[in-house]
Amino acid sequence: MAFSRRTALLGAAFITTAYGTRQTALAQADTQTLNMAVGAPVTSLDPHFHQLTPNNSVADMIFDTLTKFDGRARLQPALATEFRAIDENTWEFKLRPNVRFHNGNPFTAEDVAFTFARIPNVPNSPASYTTFVRPMKEVIVVDPLTVRIRTDGPYPLMPIDIASLRILNKATHENATTEDFNSGKVAIGTGPFKVIRHQQGDRIEFERNDNYWGEKPAWAKVNYRMITNDGARTAALHAGDVQFIDTLPTTDLARARTNRDMHLSEIAGTRLIYLALDQHRRTEATPFVTDHNGKPITPNPLCDARVRKALSLAIDRPAITARVMEGASTPAGQFLPMGCFGSIPDREVPRLNIEEAKRLLAEAGFPNGFKVTLHSPSDRYVNDSKIAQAIGQMWTRIGVHSQIDAQPWTSYVGRVTRGELSIMLYGWTSTGAEASNPLRNLVSTISRETGYGASNRGRYSNPALDALVAQAMRTLDDKQREATLQEATRVAMDDVALIPLHFQTNIWAMRRGLKHEPRVDELTRAQDISRA
């Protein structure tokens, strides 16, 4: 494999604890069937519709990519066995032979070309994958097992980017709609599992793909349930109704560690929990920021970097980690944890500073603060609404009086995508643990031409930042590229493009008799679970 880059290895250990002998429903269960439950709904089975971790988890069970990341964010071959840059403008990928889709159709280079052409044309995508295909100026089918991708100048991230792009079958999917995928009709890939039934927002039933080209999963059947209520999900595990869950509530951590019938699987993850702030409405008022009498403020105060910095300095991140997250997070001051490619080694987490926050607000013209509504999902991230409540209380100390509006994810994400809100709690997992991912998606100016800014919820825009990101994307030398990514990160954080809060610790829980390979990217996949 002729490709070299510095990969990020997050050093947190996989922790497993097993005790006890109490008989459970697992002992009598069908040993070929896995019953699992996840805490966030899957919004679509179309692998190109919505760039969202729950969707990516399920997509990895159904589909494959040309390259992939292992559980520690190290790049690996997948449907492509080899890849190399043959000149400054061309990447070549050698494809795996004798691979078939679930319906028996052979996998060829035509399917790759079709897939990459489809991605920018998926309608109504709330978080598009287009950013990963925009650098592709031409996809050339050399022969059935060779693809070349031409770019306009050097592009070092091509093998990394395509790890996010699940491959479809041209013959099967040429006229398929997102609704066709969601019905299960065309949820057909080359992956380790086949879809048998999909009940939107509730469950997906899978069976093993016995013709899978890779390592065969341990399970003949998988019942993949979506139980968004923390208490109900945990209760289902304790009762033996499911054998495995993700996002174990932090309130259950202490009990789970001493439970003789359970294992925990834990790893420090790349999931950044942050606040996005509306910076699109510059001359007009933003809808959920008013003076203390409820009158809209013009111009939008969130467009003033002093106000954004004051809001950040009023947040006690270590207190949130200790009290709300019960230790299951790490305070954040940038996009990625220390040690990841493009993170800044000497970047400190913003420290609580009430007096400086008040000074900045007064300097910006708000000596008495103002009123805000902080919106949050209630069922998407670990303790999401509790985090929002804690921040609201902290902001009161600088005169920013907050109302918290926590909503179910399915309604919340629509309002965020439509740009209806002012301050939003959100989360992002960076594919490959490299800073280019959040820089392109979260804070680059929204652009149809480049595909950047696909998840820029506050619609932040900074030409200086955009120029640095563009420069990094064309720098082949890893050391130079990392330095440029660090500079871009420093610009974004100094300007408070968003307010980083913490990195989640990824925690899964399972019944005795199972084992699990944890992932820094938080994906919850049946192929990572096996019998102990």
Side-chain angles (χ1 to χ4, degrees), residues 192 212-218 527:
Y212 185 51
W213 59 267
E215 183 178 353
K216 303 296 188 297
Q527 59 262 45

Side-chain angles (χ1 to χ4, degrees), residues 497-515:
L498 50 77
I499 298 177
L501 299 174
H502 60 246
F503 302 108
Q504 281 185 184
T505 300
N506 302 334
I507 304 174
W508 297 263
M510 69 208 79
R511 302 297 303 182
R512 182 170 171 261
L514 298 183
K515 62 181 179 180

Side-chain angles (χ1 to χ4, degrees), residues 240-426:
D241 295 335
V242 299
Q243 298 145 259
F244 183 96
I245 65 171
D246 70 356
T247 56
L248 181 75
T250 56
T251 52
D252 290 332
L253 268 176
R255 178 187 174 195
R257 293 193 198 283
T258 58
N259 189 313
R260 296 185 174 188
D261 298 311
M262 291 174 58
H263 298 273
L264 295 186
S265 172
E266 307 176 50
I267 194 168
T270 59
R271 163 79 66 187
L272 172 68
I273 301 298
Y274 68 95
L275 298 180
L277 304 101
D278 172 26
Q279 295 165 70
H280 176 61
R281 302 172 181 89
R282 303 195 68 83
T283 58
E284 57 187 294
T286 187
F288 292 99
V289 177
T290 70
D291 65 19
H292 288 296
N293 295 315
K295 182 180 177 181
I297 301 173
T298 305
N300 174 11
L302 300 180
C303 290
D304 189 321
R306 294 169 297 185
V307 172
R308 300 195 299 271
K309 187 173 183 179
L311 293 174
S312 178
L313 290 174
I315 298 172
D316 189 341
R317 291 164 176 81
I320 291 175
T321 286
R323 299 171 195 165
V324 180
M325 296 299 292
E326 301 191 44
S329 69
T330 305
Q334 55 183 314
F335 295 114
L336 287 167
M338 297 293 186
C340 293
F341 191 86
S343 65
I344 304 172
D346 58 352
R347 184 83 189 185
E348 292 188 355
V349 174
R351 296 180 180 179
L352 176 68
N353 192 330
I354 298 298
E355 293 308 312
E356 177 65 6
K358 288 180 177 179
R359 187 193 70 77
L360 287 167
L361 283 182
E363 186 179 299
F366 303 99
N368 299 314
F370 43 79
K371 293 174 68 175
V372 303
T373 298
L374 169 55
H375 287 85
S376 167
S378 59
D379 56 2
R380 174 64 187 92
Y381 310 112
V382 177
N383 297 330
D384 40 21
S385 59
K386 292 180 182 178
I387 296 166
Q389 291 285 352
I391 291 171
Q393 293 171 14
M394 293 170 182
W395 281 348
T396 301
R397 292 179 288 183
I398 62 169
V400 175
H401 296 281
S402 307
Q403 177 180 338
I404 308 304
D405 187 351
Q407 304 171 349
W409 174 254
T410 49
S411 56
Y412 177 77
V413 69
R415 297 191 70 187
V416 171
T417 302
R418 292 189 295 271
E420 296 176 1
L421 309 179
S422 296
I423 306 178
M424 302 142 272
L425 187 143
Y426 223 78

Side-chain angles (χ1 to χ4, degrees), residues 86-298:
I86 59 176
D87 59 46
E88 284 197 344
N89 300 302
T90 311
W91 281 92
E92 182 177 86
F93 295 83
K94 293 292 185 179
L95 306 183
R96 191 174 297 278
N98 304 317
V99 174
R100 291 189 175 271
F101 289 88
H102 297 156
N103 58 7
N105 290 351
F107 160 67
T108 71
E110 293 287 352
D111 299 313
V112 175
F114 162 76
T115 296
F116 295 164
R118 176 185 189 263
I119 289 168
N121 299 307
V122 176
N124 304 314
S125 171
S128 175
Y129 291 83
T130 300
T131 184
F132 300 118
V133 298
R134 278 292 185 247
M136 302 178 185
K137 298 305 177 186
E138 185 181 11
V139 180
I140 303 166
V141 175
V142 178
D143 60 48
L145 293 177
T146 307
V147 170
R148 288 179 181 163
I149 300 174
R150 293 198 186 280
T151 58
D152 186 10
Y155 190 72
L157 297 186
M158 188 62 69
I160 297 170
D161 283 0
I162 62 172
S164 296
L165 307 178
R166 281 87 187 172
I167 302 300
L168 301 182
N169 177 225
K170 181 178 180 181
T172 303
H173 299 112
E174 193 154 27
N175 297 306
T177 64
T178 295
E179 290 72 25
D180 291 332
F181 282 92
N182 291 340
S183 71
K185 176 183 174 183
V186 296
I188 295 168
T190 60
F193 292 98
K194 303 177 183 180
V195 174
I196 302 304
R197 188 167 72 95
H198 176 215
Q199 193 170 331
Q200 188 84 32
D202 180 52
R203 69 187 65 211
I204 310 169
E205 296 176 13
F206 296 95
E207 70 176 15
R208 181 169 55 210
N209 174 16
D210 286 324
N211 295 317
Y212 185 51
W213 59 267
E215 183 178 353
K216 303 296 188 297
W219 313 103
K221 294 183 179 180
V222 175
N223 295 315
Y224 196 98
R225 297 174 59 188
M226 293 158 245
I227 306 178
T228 58
N229 180 276
D230 285 348
R233 189 170 63 260
T234 306
L237 179 65
H238 283 289
D241 295 335
V242 299
Q243 298 145 259
F244 183 96
I245 65 171
D246 70 356
T247 56
L248 181 75
T250 56
T251 52
D252 290 332
L253 268 176
R255 178 187 174 195
R257 293 193 198 283
T258 58
N259 189 313
R260 296 185 174 188
D261 298 311
M262 291 174 58
H263 298 273
L264 295 186
S265 172
E266 307 176 50
I267 194 168
T270 59
R271 163 79 66 187
L272 172 68
I273 301 298
Y274 68 95
L275 298 180
L277 304 101
D278 172 26
Q279 295 165 70
H280 176 61
R281 302 172 181 89
R282 303 195 68 83
T283 58
E284 57 187 294
T286 187
F288 292 99
V289 177
T290 70
D291 65 19
H292 288 296
N293 295 315
K295 182 180 177 181
I297 301 173
T298 305

